[in-house]
Amino acid sequence: MSDMALSKKIFSRVAVIDDDLGGRNTYKLAIEDMDCTPVVEDGPLDVLDSYVANLRPRVDAAFCDYHLKKHGNYAVFDGDELASSLYLAKVPVVLCTKYTDWEASLLRRRRRYIPRVISYDEAEPENILEAFNLCVREFRGEFIVPRRPWRALVRIEDFEDGCSYAYAVVPAWDTKKRIRLQISDCPSEVVNKVKQGEQRFHAQVNLGAESDEDLYFSDWEI
């Protein structure tokens, strides 16, 4: 059985989520090219938890655009929030964006639950299928090397109270490179301890990541 035939069997119904009508129509065609049935979500969407609970029994996977709050009242959350919530609900999902600076705004703690981010130009059946299958494997605890979480020492540096970000060093990944972290990526308990002078913590980090923009930080130990 071919990969595309298998995708039709496993991912029969795929949600298409985008606040832009043109985007929904484009993504709908990509899903149809997979021989799957697109379930186009025209909105407005419910609050996050209710929407995820409602969507889960209706689809086998989801294709989600990053920015969902730009057009009208389509959603009160963005695609990174939705994609990570769907992943945690065991719904295979791929996040798509037209923007090239997504890594600067996507929270690293959410990236733990978003295995694949693709650009608008990459919204092709084979890339979508690969992303869905990556999710399924992770649900089973099977991680590819760049995505596998490890308990790692994280040293917070260059933190300035009142700033929206700090820099961290993960010696097991690179002893010298400083990684930008948004303050909202860190639990408040970690932020408070940094303010008190503590620098060393442990968190789950994908030490096999090939580039710093792919690094995620989750499950901090307080």
Side-chain angles (χ1 to χ4, degrees):
M1 183 179 292
S2 69
D3 285 346
M4 208 59 71
L6 187 61
S7 73
K8 182 177 181 180
K9 181 178 180 181
I10 298 176
F11 311 115
S12 175
R13 296 175 62 80
V14 178
V16 176
I17 306 163
D18 190 344
D19 64 339
D20 178 67
L21 177 60
R24 291 198 296 275
N25 289 334
T26 298
Y27 300 150
K28 174 176 177 287
L29 294 175
I31 301 304
E32 289 175 341
D33 286 344
M34 293 170 56
D35 289 329
C36 299
T37 302
V39 179
V40 180
E41 299 290 286
D42 291 321
L45 310 185
D46 202 349
V47 295
L48 183 60
D49 290 345
S50 297
Y51 178 65
V52 170
N54 175 270
L55 183 66
R56 185 182 181 190
R58 295 193 287 117
V59 300
D60 305 302
F63 186 100
C64 181
D65 193 66
Y66 193 167
H67 295 287
L68 300 179
K69 299 188 292 187
K70 288 185 174 292
H71 294 86
N73 62 339
Y74 184 81
V76 295
F77 46 82
D78 269 324
D80 56 339
E81 293 180 82
L82 177 56
S84 57
S85 295
L86 288 170
Y87 177 101
L88 288 168
K90 298 296 189 291
V91 178
V93 60
V94 60
L95 184 65
C96 184
T97 180
K98 303 177 183 71
Y99 295 83
T100 59
D101 60 347
W102 59 267
E103 70 277 0
S105 59
L106 179 59
L107 294 177
R108 293 181 185 274
R109 58 184 168 84
R110 289 188 186 140
R111 186 65 199 277
R112 163 63 179 85
Y113 309 110
I114 305 175
R116 183 78 191 275
V117 182
I118 64 175
S119 69
Y120 183 81
D121 294 336
E122 294 175 320
E124 301 290 339
E126 58 272 18
N127 292 326
I128 300 170
L129 175 59
E130 179 187 4
F132 289 164
N133 283 326
L134 189 59
C135 287
V136 171
R137 290 197 295 272
E138 291 193 7
F139 296 160
R140 297 196 298 250
E142 302 170 4
F143 291 83
I144 61 174
V145 171
R147 286 279 305 165
R148 179 174 294 279
W150 298 92
R151 182 178 184 269
L153 173 69
V154 181
R155 190 170 68 247
I156 303 295
E157 299 183 350
D158 292 341
F159 173 83
E160 198 171 316
D161 195 10
C163 287
S164 59
Y165 60 87
Y167 285 92
V169 173
V170 182
W173 185 74
D174 190 308
T175 58
K176 298 179 180 178
K177 195 161 189 177
R178 296 185 176 187
I179 303 147
R180 180 167 169 163
L181 277 178
Q182 296 189 51
I183 296 300
S184 51
D185 263 323
C186 304
S188 58
E189 296 90 341
V190 169
V191 175
N192 290 335
K193 288 190 175 184
V194 171
K195 289 179 180 179
Q196 296 166 12
E198 190 169 339
Q199 288 185 303
R200 295 172 178 270
F201 304 89
H202 285 88
Q204 294 291 309
V205 183
N206 53 328
L207 298 177
E210 296 176 357
S211 60
D212 63 286
E213 60 262 27
D214 291 326
L215 281 170
Y216 62 68
F217 297 73
S218 68
D219 302 302
W220 291 77
E221 296 179 19
I222 310 302

